[in-house]
Amino acid sequence: MAEVLLEVRGLTAGYGAGPVLHGVDLDFQAGELLALIGANGAGKSTLLGVLSGLVPPTSGSILFAGRNLTGARPERVVRAGIAHVPQGRRLFATMTVRQNLVLGAYLRRDREVQSDIDRVVGYFPALGDKLQRVAGTLSGGEQQMVAIGRGLMGRPRLLMIDEPSLGLAPKVVETVIEVCQSINRDGVSVLLVEQDVVVALEAADRGYVLENGRIALSGSARELQDDPAVRKAYLGV
Amino acid sequence: MSLFVQQVILGLMLGGVYVAVAIGFSLVWGVLNIVNLAHGALVVVGMYATWFLFTHAGIDPFLTLPLDAVVLFAIGYLVQRGLINRVIRAPLFFTLLLTFGINLVLINLFLLWFKADFRSVTTSYSGAGLNVGAVTIPYIRLAALVIAMLLAGAVGFFMNRTRTGFAIQAVGADKDAAQLVGIDLRHVYALTFAVGAACAGVAGGLLSTVQAISPTAGEPYTLQAFVVVILGGLGRVSATVVGGLLFGLIEVLAQSQVPGLGAGWSNAIAFAVLVLVLVLRPQGLLGRLA
């Protein structure tokens, strides 16, 4: 059995108006590409926020690579090796693409930042001639690429990507998802959060279905694709 | 004609002082979204620091500027980390109220320690100036202008060339995204306020050479910094430089060239500029629309 990378137990969290997550359990093996799917408002982004330290949990525990990250501040989470590519890209819009990428390596003190920028461009050749462009002027797809690249610059063991397909043309979504897969093949575990269930389950090894703040279903991507409840609720068949 | 040239030069030199005062104010406003009502009091800390070092240790006022910066940096870091960080997520009104309170506390500490007496820093070269034809350029004011420009350059370099400067910009642009790349928000907030305070300290040190020092001497500068930032635009050092120099020019020229206006009108002129800019170009001359 592969090494357990992330172990989430009984995670509860909310924003004051009542809990959004009600005791979420999640197990993540090292090297997996995991899909987290669910409808709008199911709590997917909140779960990512709690994992990355932006939202404090009210109870439960987060164990990452043997380390307790429950309630840890974001900078500690990043240092531990988790990168969170937030929904809506959230680039530093007035800075250049290169500056965005360099900031992704903020906590690193080594001298290999340039070679990692080359690596990001290797994944996303479209960014090759746009490093000096102001990030806010790029197309949505390119911005998503920069956002993922910025996440990679921290050399994470786990890359969490929130709704990369949002607002992108199907062809661009395909490119972005393919790169997520090749990042995964290169040894980075990937947690893909998607409303687009077809896209997510095509790419993933396993999946979790989040409904109203609870894990409703989990299993291999194939099982979930064939599950009648998933088919009915998310695939429309 | 030479009178006009003289006024323009004096205006630019006054503007230099405004630039020094406004740089830190603009940085704190732009990044932290705090309109720091204690900024003038921080300027006065710099004035007293220079006065103290000059009077009791005989150090030339211009040589005290780095010390002013260090002292104010430390004070600024502690004030932000210990006090303002606690309410930074609350609406703007709370930070406004808190910095208003900090301002009152500082002024009363000055009263306690230094009394209400006016004090001054008078050097051997205080009255001297450079004569070019009929125009006189006072050395001290010229030095203040040059140092203000160097300060602006240093802050610009820090913000646009250093790792910490980029972190501060990132926090100003998107707090959550900044945290997600591993930036410690509490530390960067405190650093930003500390740099702002350090600039205020340098401004205070410069001002101590050209005006009387008293506990409330900084009050007009909070307003003037506010007008300079509105005039130039928020978020860029170059905007503060343009805003400060222009505001100095406007003030001196309005007082000297417009019949009926005199030195007593400086607040009226400041507010008139404020209202005009807000009506005609709310983002400021060099500002970006949010």
Side-chain angles (χ1 to χ4, degrees), chain A residues 73-75 90 99 106 109, chain B residues 163 174 177 179 182 184 186:
Chain A
R73 295 189 57 82
E75 58 270 16
R90 305 289 288 266
Q99 285 166 345
Y106 179 74
R109 296 287 190 173
Chain B
R163 177 176 176 269
D174 188 329
Q179 292 191 84
D184 181 348
R186 297 169 302 179

Side-chain angles (χ1 to χ4, degrees), chain A residues 165-176:
Chain A
S165 73
L166 204 68
L168 301 186
K171 232 187 153 70
V172 184
V173 174
E174 208 173 292
T175 312
V176 169

